[in-house]
PDB file of all heavy atoms in Angstrom:
ATOM      1  N   MET A 772      32.087  -8.815 227.159  1.00 91.00           N
ATOM      2  CA  MET A 772      30.659  -8.953 227.229  1.00 91.00           C
ATOM      3  C   MET A 772      30.259  -9.662 228.521  1.00 91.00           C
ATOM      4  O   MET A 772      30.924 -10.557 228.999  1.00 91.00           O
ATOM      5  CB  MET A 772      30.135  -9.768 226.024  1.00 91.00           C
ATOM      6  CG  MET A 772      30.376  -9.086 224.669  1.00 91.00           C
ATOM      7  SD  MET A 772      29.911 -10.074 223.264  1.00 91.00           S
ATOM      8  CE  MET A 772      31.354 -11.318 223.309  1.00 91.00           C
ATOM      9  N   LYS A 773      29.157  -9.211 229.065  1.00 88.00           N
ATOM     10  CA  LYS A 773      28.700  -9.803 230.384  1.00 88.00           C
ATOM     11  C   LYS A 773      27.187 -10.239 230.254  1.00 88.00           C
ATOM     12  O   LYS A 773      26.403  -9.335 229.906  1.00 88.00           O
ATOM     13  CB  LYS A 773      28.896  -8.837 231.508  1.00 88.00           C
ATOM     14  CG  LYS A 773      30.333  -8.529 231.877  1.00 88.00           C
ATOM     15  CD  LYS A 773      30.421  -7.580 233.032  1.00 88.00           C
ATOM     16  CE  LYS A 773      31.880  -7.279 233.413  1.00 88.00           C
ATOM     17  NZ  LYS A 773      31.960  -6.357 234.536  1.00 88.00           N
ATOM     18  N   GLY A 774      26.896 -11.454 230.458  1.00 90.00           N
ATOM     19  CA  GLY A 774      25.482 -11.837 230.581  1.00 90.00           C
ATOM     20  C   GLY A 774      25.214 -12.169 232.031  1.00 90.00           C
ATOM     21  O   GLY A 774      25.997 -12.782 232.721  1.00 90.00           O
ATOM     22  N   HIS A 775      24.042 -11.711 232.475  1.00 85.00           N
ATOM     23  CA  HIS A 775      23.703 -11.798 233.927  1.00 85.00           C
ATOM     24  C   HIS A 775      22.257 -12.191 234.099  1.00 85.00           C
ATOM     25  O   HIS A 775      21.369 -11.606 233.473  1.00 85.00           O
ATOM     26  CB  HIS A 775      24.028 -10.333 234.485  1.00 85.00           C
ATOM     27  CG  HIS A 775      23.705 -10.254 235.965  1.00 85.00           C
ATOM     28  ND1 HIS A 775      22.443  -9.976 236.449  1.00 85.00           N
ATOM     29  CD2 HIS A 775      24.463 -10.440 237.066  1.00 85.00           C
ATOM     30  CE1 HIS A 775      22.438  -9.880 237.761  1.00 85.00           C
ATOM     31  NE2 HIS A 775      23.677 -10.229 238.159  1.00 85.00           N
ATOM     32  N   TYR A 776      22.034 -13.220 234.926  1.00 90.00           N
ATOM     33  CA  TYR A 776      20.697 -13.581 235.190  1.00 90.00           C
ATOM     34  C   TYR A 776      20.383 -13.616 236.754  1.00 90.00           C
ATOM     35  O   TYR A 776      21.135 -14.348 237.429  1.00 90.00           O
ATOM     36  CB  TYR A 776      20.309 -15.024 234.645  1.00 90.00           C
ATOM     37  CG  TYR A 776      18.986 -15.433 234.875  1.00 90.00           C
ATOM     38  CD1 TYR A 776      17.847 -14.893 234.281  1.00 90.00           C
ATOM     39  CD2 TYR A 776      18.699 -16.453 235.831  1.00 90.00           C
ATOM     40  CE1 TYR A 776      16.575 -15.326 234.557  1.00 90.00           C
ATOM     41  CE2 TYR A 776      17.446 -16.877 236.103  1.00 90.00           C
ATOM     42  CZ  TYR A 776      16.368 -16.315 235.450  1.00 90.00           C
ATOM     43  OH  TYR A 776      15.081 -16.728 235.725  1.00 90.00           O
ATOM     44  N   ALA A 777      19.436 -12.827 237.218  1.00 85.00           N
ATOM     45  CA  ALA A 777      19.163 -12.751 238.651  1.00 85.00           C
ATOM     46  C   ALA A 777      17.716 -13.374 238.774  1.00 85.00           C
ATOM     47  O   ALA A 777      16.807 -13.141 238.089  1.00 85.00           O
ATOM     48  CB  ALA A 777      19.127 -11.320 239.111  1.00 85.00           C
ATOM     49  N   PHE A 778      17.649 -14.232 239.861  1.00 85.00           N
ATOM     50  CA  PHE A 778      16.351 -14.927 240.066  1.00 85.00           C
ATOM     51  C   PHE A 778      15.989 -14.910 241.602  1.00 85.00           C
ATOM     52  O   PHE A 778      16.821 -14.756 242.418  1.00 85.00           O
ATOM     53  CB  PHE A 778      16.504 -16.384 239.619  1.00 85.00           C
ATOM     54  CG  PHE A 778      17.490 -17.234 240.273  1.00 85.00           C
ATOM     55  CD1 PHE A 778      17.172 -17.922 241.459  1.00 85.00           C
ATOM     56  CD2 PHE A 778      18.842 -17.228 239.843  1.00 85.00           C
ATOM     57  CE1 PHE A 778      18.193 -18.658 242.171  1.00 85.00           C
ATOM     58  CE2 PHE A 778      19.811 -17.975 240.487  1.00 85.00           C
ATOM     59  CZ  PHE A 778      19.494 -18.725 241.604  1.00 85.00           C
ATOM     60  N   GLN A 779      14.691 -15.026 241.822  1.00 80.00           N
ATOM     61  CA  GLN A 779      14.130 -15.128 243.150  1.00 80.00           C
ATOM     62  C   GLN A 779      13.739 -16.494 243.492  1.00 80.00           C
ATOM     63  O   GLN A 779      13.005 -17.151 242.739  1.00 80.00           O
ATOM     64  CB  GLN A 779      12.920 -14.217 243.253  1.00 80.00           C
ATOM     65  CG  GLN A 779      13.152 -12.722 243.083  1.00 80.00           C
ATOM     66  CD  GLN A 779      13.988 -12.103 244.160  1.00 80.00           C
ATOM     67  OE1 GLN A 779      13.772 -12.432 245.288  1.00 80.00           O
ATOM     68  NE2 GLN A 779      14.864 -11.207 243.833  1.00 80.00           N
ATOM     69  N   ALA A 780      14.365 -17.102 244.554  1.00 71.00           N
ATOM     70  CA  ALA A 780      14.025 -18.422 244.910  1.00 71.00           C
ATOM     71  C   ALA A 780      12.926 -18.459 245.987  1.00 71.00           C
ATOM     72  O   ALA A 780      12.215 -19.547 246.163  1.00 71.00           O
ATOM     73  CB  ALA A 780      15.240 -19.204 245.502  1.00 71.00           C
ATOM     74  N   SER A 781      12.669 -17.331 246.676  1.00 72.00           N
ATOM     75  CA  SER A 781      11.614 -17.226 247.637  1.00 72.00           C
ATOM     76  C   SER A 781      11.215 -15.817 247.805  1.00 72.00           C
ATOM     77  O   SER A 781      12.026 -14.879 247.707  1.00 72.00           O
ATOM     78  CB  SER A 781      12.051 -17.817 249.007  1.00 72.00           C
ATOM     79  OG  SER A 781      11.056 -17.669 249.949  1.00 72.00           O
ATOM     80  N   GLY A 782       9.943 -15.522 248.050  1.00 63.00           N
ATOM     81  CA  GLY A 782       9.445 -14.166 248.220  1.00 63.00           C
ATOM     82  C   GLY A 782       8.859 -13.623 246.994  1.00 63.00           C
ATOM     83  O   GLY A 782       8.988 -14.190 245.824  1.00 63.00           O
ATOM     84  N   THR A 783       7.965 -12.543 247.142  1.00 62.00           N
ATOM     85  CA  THR A 783       7.301 -11.933 245.989  1.00 62.00           C
ATOM     86  C   THR A 783       7.787 -10.502 245.819  1.00 62.00           C
ATOM     87  O   THR A 783       7.873  -9.687 246.793  1.00 62.00           O
ATOM     88  CB  THR A 783       5.804 -11.918 246.218  1.00 62.00           C
ATOM     89  OG1 THR A 783       5.355 -13.268 246.530  1.00 62.00           O
ATOM     90  CG2 THR A 783       5.064 -11.327 245.125  1.00 62.00           C
ATOM     91  N   LEU A 784       8.149 -10.143 244.581  1.00 59.00           N
ATOM     92  CA  LEU A 784       8.571  -8.825 244.304  1.00 59.00           C
ATOM     93  C   LEU A 784       7.434  -7.854 244.123  1.00 59.00           C
ATOM     94  O   LEU A 784       6.413  -8.233 243.548  1.00 59.00           O
ATOM     95  CB  LEU A 784       9.412  -8.844 242.978  1.00 59.00           C
ATOM     96  CG  LEU A 784      10.763  -9.568 243.005  1.00 59.00           C
ATOM     97  CD1 LEU A 784      11.258  -9.745 241.602  1.00 59.00           C
ATOM     98  CD2 LEU A 784      11.756  -8.891 243.882  1.00 59.00           C
TER      99      LEU A 784
END
Side-chain angles (χ1 to χ4, degrees):
M772 296 173 288
K773 294 181 180 179
H775 179 271
Y776 180 72
F778 61 90
Q779 297 291 323
S781 179
T783 304
L784 293 169

